[in-house]
């Protein structure tokens, strides 16, 4: 498949962005559900994802959480072909590389690019398998489509769109400012053949009366020689679907009066576990007393435990517990609550070592190269819920507490508290964002209410 993607029956819609976290995942998910509503067979695809939010597929495969949400919006079970290359950062300079759903190896950023050709072939092959089975593929890009220094190594943005014969939608975020520079500048930086792929643009996260931006739309259309698909409003409150980038924790992550504190580790993973909670994400000790302190998952347990101590948060957690807060650890956070964490194979840092944990639970954890990836069905306090495990360690010591009733408790299960019933049972109804039905239906409503649907049909269907 090195020569590119063979001609297949699926039509492809590519959703690219002017930057990271402009709403590509939301837009792609919305389009997935809109097409499904119209009776089309549709599947999501992202050639390469960089995220520590992942999810197990059937057979022990692993893909990015955003593509799982998009699969759900399409009414499909997630599968590895939807996200053939997944990068899970373990440090500022390197990532665990997952190819076709299985861990391949840990690579530094520099070494990763030596494998561009092979990874591009894997992405093209996965796309071909999907496109042979569906009428539409909704493709999501990564970061900006105009990263000039990465163009010759691109396997996820416009080179992938070109190979698939996709028509592209460019998404910009007006809430962060600079919408004219971001959309017009992005188009200006593209080569002529790349610009030809972009059929329209969307202005996302607008606050206030959209009619006040009508002049802005006209200017953008005149300068870009592209039509505006729509001006889409900022959505307040709980996200309609899972956020992909940890930068989303910077936006509205803390809520006035929140009684739940969640530690934001440098390499936090699967933070979607807590998307229903009204919580305060913290990176340093704060004076407020909380009812709950949560240590979430992390892609580097020992490294983030050392960070916890260096910031003073380790002692802060103990003080919060002493003053009556309940402490919950999930996955890597659960491992930190124990007495010891050993890494005899150098799984996380390429050199064996062992460290002391916080000593709040009678656990001893050994990190192993073999990753546990599986979905489970649990009965949590008489509530049936689906959950999943993705971790590279095993913990022994102490009796397990499946209902998490202890003052200090933990679990390897992700996704449990994405079930509103389980979350309410654990933290109380008042700790949750208000829920308003099916998020995918609401997201499709959001798209159809604000998009020029006649233009969408003309350009993309």
């Amino acid at each position: 498949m090195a020569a590119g993607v063979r001609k297949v029956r699926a039509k492809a819609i590519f959703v690219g962005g002017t930057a990271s976290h402009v709403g590509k995942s939301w837009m792609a998910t919305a389009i997935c559900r809109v097409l499904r509503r119209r009776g089309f067979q549709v599947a999501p695809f992202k050639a390469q994802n960089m995220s520590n939010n992942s999810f197990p597929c059937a057979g022990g495969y692993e893909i990015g959480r955003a593509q799982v949400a998009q699969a759900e919006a399409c009414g499909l079970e997630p599968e590895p072909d939807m996200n053939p290359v997944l990068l899970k950062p373990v440090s500022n300079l390197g990532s665990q590389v997952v190819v076709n759903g299985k861990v391949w190896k840990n690579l530094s950023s520099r070494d990763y690019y030596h494998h561009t050709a092979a990874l591009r072939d894997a992405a093209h092959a996965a796309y071909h398998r999907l496109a042979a089975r569906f009428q539409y593929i909704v493709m999501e890009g990564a970061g900006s489509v105009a990263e000039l220094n990465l163009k010759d190594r691109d396997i996820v943005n416009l080179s992938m769109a070109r190979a698939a014969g996709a028509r592209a939608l460019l998404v910009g975020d007006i809430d962060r400012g600079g919408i004219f520079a971001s959309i017009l500048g992005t188009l200006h930086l593209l080569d002529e053949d790349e610009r030809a792929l972009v059929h329209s643009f969307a202005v996302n996260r607008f606050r206030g009366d959209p009619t006040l931006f009508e002049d802005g739309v006209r200017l953008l259309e005149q300068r870009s020689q592209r039509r505006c698909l729509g001006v889409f409003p900022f959505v307040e409150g709980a996200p309609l679907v899972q956020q992909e980038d940890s930068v989303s924790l910077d936006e509205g992550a803390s809520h006035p009066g929140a009684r739940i504190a969640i530690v934001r580790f440098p390499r936090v993973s699967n933070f979607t576990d807590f998307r229903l909670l009204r919580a305060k994400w913290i990176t340093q000790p704060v004076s407020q007393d909380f009812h709950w302190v949560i240590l979430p998952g992390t892609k580097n347990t020992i490294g983030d435990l050392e960070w916890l101590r260096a910031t003073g948060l380790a002692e802060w957690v103990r003080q919060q517990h002493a003053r009556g807060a309940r402490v919950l650890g999930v996955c890597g956070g659960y491992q930190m609550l124990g007495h010891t964490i050993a890494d005899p194979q150098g799984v996380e840092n390429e050199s064996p070592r062992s460290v002391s944990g916080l000593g709040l639970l009678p656990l001893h954890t050994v990190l192993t190269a073999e990753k546990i990836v599986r979905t489970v069905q649990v009965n949590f306090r008489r509530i049936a819920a689906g959950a999943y495990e993705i971790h590279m360690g095993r913990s022994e010591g102490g009796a397990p507490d499946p209902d998490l009733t202890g003052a200090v408790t933990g679990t390897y299960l992700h996704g449990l508290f994405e079930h509103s019933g389980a979350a309410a049972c654990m933290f109380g109804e008042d700790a949750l964002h208000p829920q308003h039905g099916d998020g995918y239906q609401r997201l499709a409503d959001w798209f159809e209410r604000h998009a020029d649907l006649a233009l969408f049909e003309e350009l993309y269907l």
Side-chain angles (χ1 to χ4, degrees):
M1 295 296 297
V5 177
R6 296 197 303 269
K7 185 176 181 180
V8 288
R9 72 184 182 99
K11 291 184 178 180
I13 302 171
F14 175 82
V15 181
T18 59
S20 295
H21 196 58
V22 298
K24 295 186 296 291
S25 293
W26 277 45
M27 198 68 69
T29 308
I31 292 172
C32 283
R33 177 48 68 95
V34 167
L35 292 178
R36 184 192 177 200
R37 275 181 173 180
R38 296 182 178 213
F40 294 114
Q41 295 174 313
V42 55
F45 178 80
K46 186 166 184 174
Q48 173 195 288
N49 201 344
M50 177 177 280
S51 177
N52 277 334
N53 289 342
S54 63
F55 189 90
C57 308
Y61 298 101
E62 177 183 5
I63 67 172
R65 193 69 177 87
Q67 280 62 66
V68 173
Q70 290 159 6
E72 291 172 350
C74 295
L76 302 173
E77 290 295 320
E79 57 181 273
D81 283 344
M82 295 172 179
N83 176 208
V85 180
L86 174 63
L87 310 181
K88 306 187 75 174
V90 296
S91 70
N92 292 335
L93 298 176
S95 297
Q96 179 186 86
V97 183
V98 179
V99 178
N100 293 323
K102 294 292 186 179
V103 174
W104 182 40
K105 59 177 71 177
N106 280 17
L107 291 173
S108 69
S109 300
R110 184 175 298 276
D111 289 340
Y112 173 78
Y113 290 121
H114 294 160
H115 301 278
T116 296
L119 295 171
R120 181 181 288 119
D121 286 350
H124 286 186
Y127 177 84
H128 174 74
R129 289 190 293 268
L130 272 185
R133 296 161 45 207
F134 293 91
Q135 294 171 287
Y136 282 90
I137 303 296
V138 179
M139 306 170 65
E140 183 184 342
S144 167
V145 297
E147 301 289 0
L148 300 183
N149 59 316
L150 302 178
K151 187 178 292 189
D152 62 337
R153 293 167 283 184
D154 172 43
I155 69 171
V156 62
N157 281 314
L158 291 176
S159 70
M160 186 70 222
R162 183 191 298 111
R167 294 187 168 199
L169 165 67
L170 180 65
V171 180
D173 179 1
I174 195 171
D175 190 52
R176 64 175 62 186
I179 190 67
F180 293 97
S182 61
I183 289 179
L184 298 177
T186 295
L187 289 168
H188 175 75
L189 290 172
L190 299 179
D191 293 337
E192 185 175 348
D193 63 327
E194 294 172 322
R195 280 195 297 274
L197 298 173
V198 180
H199 284 60
S200 70
F201 63 87
V203 176
N204 197 22
R205 297 195 177 123
F206 187 87
R207 296 178 187 261
D209 181 355
T211 64
L212 298 177
F213 194 64
E214 288 177 352
D215 288 344
V217 168
R218 282 193 290 271
L219 285 169
L220 283 168
E221 289 185 331
Q222 290 168 4
R223 296 289 187 95
S224 70
Q225 295 298 295
R226 304 291 187 286
R227 295 285 303 281
C228 178
L229 184 65
V231 177
F232 295 85
F234 190 96
V235 179
E236 302 284 357
L240 303 182
V241 296
Q242 294 87 347
Q243 299 288 328
E244 180 76 308
D245 300 319
S246 61
V247 70
S248 66
L249 300 181
D250 296 331
E251 298 185 355
S254 297
H255 300 275
R259 54 188 179 83
I260 301 172
I262 308 176
V263 176
R264 181 179 173 178
F265 295 122
R267 287 163 287 274
V268 64
S269 70
N270 297 84
F271 57 82
T272 52
D273 285 340
F274 311 109
R275 66 189 182 90
L276 300 185
L277 301 184
R278 300 170 60 86
K280 183 180 183 70
W281 287 83
I282 62 170
T283 56
Q284 59 186 6
V286 295
S287 59
Q288 179 182 348
D289 284 342
F290 292 90
H291 293 188
W292 284 93
V293 174
I294 298 175
L295 304 185
T298 165
K299 199 66 192 67
N300 194 315
T301 303
I302 292 178
D304 280 352
L305 177 57
E306 292 173 337
W307 171 86
L308 198 73
R309 289 195 166 103
T311 58
L313 278 167
E315 183 57 33
W316 180 85
V317 170
R318 292 191 184 94
Q319 292 172 358
Q320 287 283 317
H321 172 54
R323 292 199 291 268
R326 294 182 63 187
V327 179
L328 169 69
V330 176
C331 201
Y334 176 45
Q335 295 171 343
M336 291 182 191
L337 293 175
H339 287 291
T340 62
I341 304 171
D343 186 7
Q345 301 176 51
V347 170
E348 289 189 342
N349 300 280
E350 299 182 359
S351 58
R353 58 176 170 163
S354 181
V355 299
S356 298
L358 299 183
L360 296 176
L361 286 176
L363 298 178
H364 298 275
T365 296
V366 177
L367 302 180
T368 60
E370 180 186 357
K371 177 180 282 193
I372 295 174
V373 180
R374 63 190 177 197
T375 57
V376 296
Q377 291 292 320
V378 298
N379 192 329
F380 178 74
R381 303 184 188 180
R382 299 184 180 180
I383 297 172
Y388 61 99
E389 294 183 47
I390 298 180
H391 58 92
M392 300 183 77
R394 290 167 172 78
S395 301
E396 295 183 354
D401 180 8
D403 287 338
L404 305 177
T405 55
V408 180
T409 189
T411 180
Y412 272 119
L413 295 180
H414 292 292
L416 179 60
F417 302 118
E418 293 187 70
H419 296 266
S420 58
C425 192
M426 185 75 173
F427 303 104
E429 289 279 0
D430 60 340
L432 276 60
H433 291 289
Q435 300 301 302
H436 303 288
D438 185 333
Y440 301 123
Q441 295 287 57
R442 292 166 57 212
L443 196 58
D445 291 342
W446 169 84
F447 181 87
E448 292 187 329
R449 188 176 304 119
H450 302 288
D452 181 337
L453 294 179
L455 181 65
F456 176 68
E457 293 169 1
E458 174 190 338
L459 295 181
Y460 298 104
L461 300 189

